[in-house]
């Protein structure tokens, strides 16, 4: 939130020129005490003060989570004010409902900052790539996990040690569950899938696996074979129009563009049937990068104050999103079983490491359900998807 105020003040002249009117902050709503803050006069602790002021035409929400954010956003839209948000959980779970309310009121509900921080991805997906049928969207959607994996690969430190570093530097919360277990990336791939395919994909429909099970042993084995480990969110359109979406650690070939994305940076790749693959790269979080996207949406709302931006998606359901069940892929497995049992179950596998008490290999491409059944017959210590 403080970044939004800073950007609006720092770039006031160019923002006014692009928006066609001055854009200033009249209120900041927060329940905490900011009486000693330099901008103490702007603070209020009741949303009703804002919603009863006819001079306020847009509300920015940077609270995060569902409560009380959903109530505030819904109230602002019902009052006829544009709303801009960076709240990925709110957009992923309640986005369709809030967009329908915005359409009813002929106002804008915009959320570019909810995916990729300062990276422009949602608007290009809707506008610049609008001539395409989008076939697949995938990417590094969480900077915390990418930082941890970078530290493991570059410096050979354990997951636990890298997580402590990330927490000390402010990249990870004290409770890092949402990041390291893939929940944050899950919400973001849902939003990307909603916009790419035009049907609602909800977080509970998307299996997500984080990086807490990735060990230094696996990192060492795959790196020697020319792979990098990345946590990816992925959504793929199937031939019947349904969507397969999931979040999981992947092996990425070292020459793939996304393998070079390190530290807290994010990257999203979109494959369209006309353009092919395009990649969007940049800072995925941070006060000013996120504020950059938020303020751009405020400008967009001002430019579309007479006629709202056309944005939204239809209802989903089980027939729309079936997780990753319909996909076929290769996987990396590390097992305590001997080489003979591995080759009996996976006769065409690629052996990366074989020693007493451990075999690491990449399976042939096969349906995930078949792969799961074969893997259950082994003492599997690690599993990573392979990005093709």
């Amino acid at each position: 939130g403080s970044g939004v105020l800073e950007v609006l003040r720092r770039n006031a002249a160019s923002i006014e020129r692009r928006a066609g009117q001055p854009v200033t902050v009249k209120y900041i709503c927060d329940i905490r005490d900011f009486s000693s803050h330099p901008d103490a006069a702007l603070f209020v602790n009741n949303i009703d003060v804002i919603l009863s002021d006819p001079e306020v035409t847009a509300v920015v929400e940077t609270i995060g989570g569902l409560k009380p954010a959903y109530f505030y956003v819904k109230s602002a839209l019902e009052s006829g004010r544009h709303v801009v948000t960076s709240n990925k959980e709110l957009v992923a779970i309640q986005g369709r409902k809030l967009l329908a309310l915005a359409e009813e009121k002929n106002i804008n509900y915009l959320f570019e900052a909810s995916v990729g921080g300062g990276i422009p991805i949602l608007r290009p997906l809707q506008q610049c790539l609008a001539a395409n049928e989008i076939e697949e969207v995938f990417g590094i959607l969480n900077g915390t996990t990418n930082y941890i994996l970078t530290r493991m690969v570059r410096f050979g430190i354990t997951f636990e040690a890298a997580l402590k570093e990330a927490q000390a530097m402010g990249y990870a919360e004290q409770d890092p569950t949402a990041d390291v277990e893939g929940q944050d990336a899950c919400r973001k791939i849902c939003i990307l899938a909603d916009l790419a395919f035009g049907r609602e994909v909800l977080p509970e429909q998307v299996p997500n696996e984080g990086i807490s099970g990735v060990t230094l042993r696996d990192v060492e084995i795959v790196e020697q074979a020319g792979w990098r480990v990345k946590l990816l969110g992925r959504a793929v359109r199937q031939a019947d129009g349904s969507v397969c979406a999931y979040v999981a650690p992947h092996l990425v070939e070292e020459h793939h563009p996304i393998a070079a994305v390190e530290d807290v940076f994010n990257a999203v790749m979109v494959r369209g049937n006309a353009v092919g693959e395009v990649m969007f790269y940049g800072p995925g979080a941070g006060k000013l990068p996120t504020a950059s996207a938020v303020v751009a949406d405020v400008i967009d709302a001002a430019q579309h104050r007479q006629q709202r931006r056309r944005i939204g998606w239809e209802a989903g359901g089980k027939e729309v999103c079936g997780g990753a069940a319909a996909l076929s892929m290769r996987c990396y497995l590390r097992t305590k079983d001997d080489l003979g049992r591995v080759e009996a179950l996976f006769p065409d596998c690629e052996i990366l490491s074989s020693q007493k008490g451990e075999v690491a290999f990449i399976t042939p491409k096969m349906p995930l359900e078949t792969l799961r059944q074969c893997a259950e017959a082994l003492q599997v210590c690690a599993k990573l998807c392979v990005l093709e």
Side-chain angles (χ1 to χ4, degrees):
S2 62
V4 173
L5 182 63
E6 185 176 337
V7 169
L8 283 168
R9 286 177 170 170
R10 181 191 295 182
N11 301 331
S14 60
I15 289 169
E16 178 178 350
R17 185 175 69 252
R18 290 167 180 142
Q21 64 183 90
V23 180
T24 57
V25 175
K26 188 167 187 182
Y27 301 104
I28 302 171
C29 184
D30 200 305
I31 61 173
R32 296 168 293 177
D33 179 18
F34 282 90
S35 55
S36 61
H37 193 279
D39 291 299
L42 296 178
F43 283 87
V44 297
N45 59 16
N46 191 328
I47 189 72
D48 292 336
V49 175
I50 296 170
L51 301 185
S52 62
D53 188 336
E55 289 190 344
V56 175
T57 58
V59 172
V60 170
E61 182 267 309
T62 56
I63 302 169
L66 293 177
K67 293 180 180 179
Y70 176 67
F71 170 74
Y72 285 171
V73 168
K74 184 170 178 285
S75 299
L77 291 171
E78 287 174 338
S79 73
R81 288 164 173 83
H82 307 293
V83 174
V84 171
T85 183
S86 59
N87 189 338
K88 61 263 185 182
E89 185 174 3
L90 183 61
V91 178
I93 295 173
Q94 299 287 2
R96 191 172 70 87
K97 186 184 297 184
L98 293 170
L99 283 165
L101 178 57
E103 182 177 12
E104 178 188 324
K105 297 291 184 177
N106 193 34
I107 50 177
N108 294 286
Y109 177 55
L110 302 174
F111 41 89
E112 180 67 59
S114 66
V115 178
I119 305 171
I121 175 61
L122 302 186
R123 192 173 285 104
L125 199 55
Q126 302 164 70
Q127 295 180 336
C128 307
L129 300 175
N132 288 259
E133 285 288 331
I134 304 300
E135 297 170 342
E136 180 176 358
V137 184
F138 68 92
I140 298 168
L141 304 176
N142 182 272
T144 301
T145 51
N146 204 45
Y147 174 84
I148 291 170
L149 290 171
T150 300
R151 297 294 290 171
M152 292 175 71
V153 170
R154 290 287 186 194
F155 299 96
I157 63 177
T158 65
F159 166 80
E160 291 77 14
L163 173 57
K164 285 182 180 178
E165 279 190 11
Q167 288 172 321
M169 297 186 70
Y171 297 148
E173 302 287 345
Q174 284 308 113
D175 179 1
T177 305
D179 290 326
V180 301
E181 299 303 339
Q183 296 164 10
D184 178 76
C186 175
R187 293 161 187 157
K188 293 172 180 176
I189 198 61
C190 286
I191 297 168
L192 288 168
D194 292 338
L195 290 169
F197 307 125
R199 300 289 296 276
E200 185 176 52
V201 174
L202 292 168
E204 61 260 30
Q205 296 175 296
V206 179
N208 59 281
E209 181 183 343
I211 64 167
S212 58
V214 177
T215 69
L216 271 181
R217 177 64 182 146
D218 299 308
V219 169
E220 291 165 358
I221 291 170
V222 302
E223 198 173 19
Q224 290 174 3
W227 300 90
R228 299 290 180 269
V229 182
K230 298 292 180 183
L231 182 71
L232 302 181
R234 190 177 179 214
V236 183
R237 185 201 293 270
Q238 299 298 289
D240 63 359
S242 65
V243 178
C244 287
Y246 67 98
V247 175
H250 284 68
L251 297 192
V252 181
E253 288 185 336
E254 61 184 353
H255 300 301
H256 193 287
I258 219 158
V261 178
E262 296 191 331
D263 294 318
V264 292
F265 285 84
N266 285 193
V268 181
M269 299 204 74
V270 182
R271 190 173 78 243
N273 66 345
V275 73
E277 278 193 343
V278 292
M279 184 169 114
F280 301 83
Y281 164 82
K287 182 173 76 169
L288 293 181
T290 303
S292 167
V294 169
V295 175
D297 273 349
V298 172
I299 295 169
D300 199 3
Q303 291 171 337
H304 291 85
R305 56 188 178 272
Q306 301 301 326
Q307 185 175 6
R308 66 178 293 274
R309 281 275 310 280
R310 293 178 61 86
I311 176 174
W313 48 83
E314 298 177 7
K318 290 182 179 179
E319 74 283 357
V320 172
C321 182
L327 289 178
S328 290
M329 66 172 66
R330 296 190 294 159
C331 279
Y332 161 90
L333 299 177
R334 181 166 56 82
T335 176
K336 294 179 180 178
D337 282 274
D338 60 48
L339 182 60
R341 278 180 53 77
V342 167
E343 291 181 329
L345 286 164
F346 298 96
D348 297 317
C349 66
E350 176 188 348
I351 305 297
L352 301 185
S353 173
S354 177
Q355 56 192 45
K356 187 176 181 180
E358 178 189 89
V359 180
F361 63 101
I362 295 178
T363 72
K365 189 172 185 178
M366 59 179 66
L368 277 183
E369 182 59 26
T370 305
L371 193 150
R372 183 188 64 80
Q373 291 171 358
C374 292
E376 282 180 353
L378 297 172
Q379 299 179 64
V380 173
C381 303
K383 179 176 81 68
L384 303 169
C385 299
V386 174
L387 179 68
E388 302 286 7

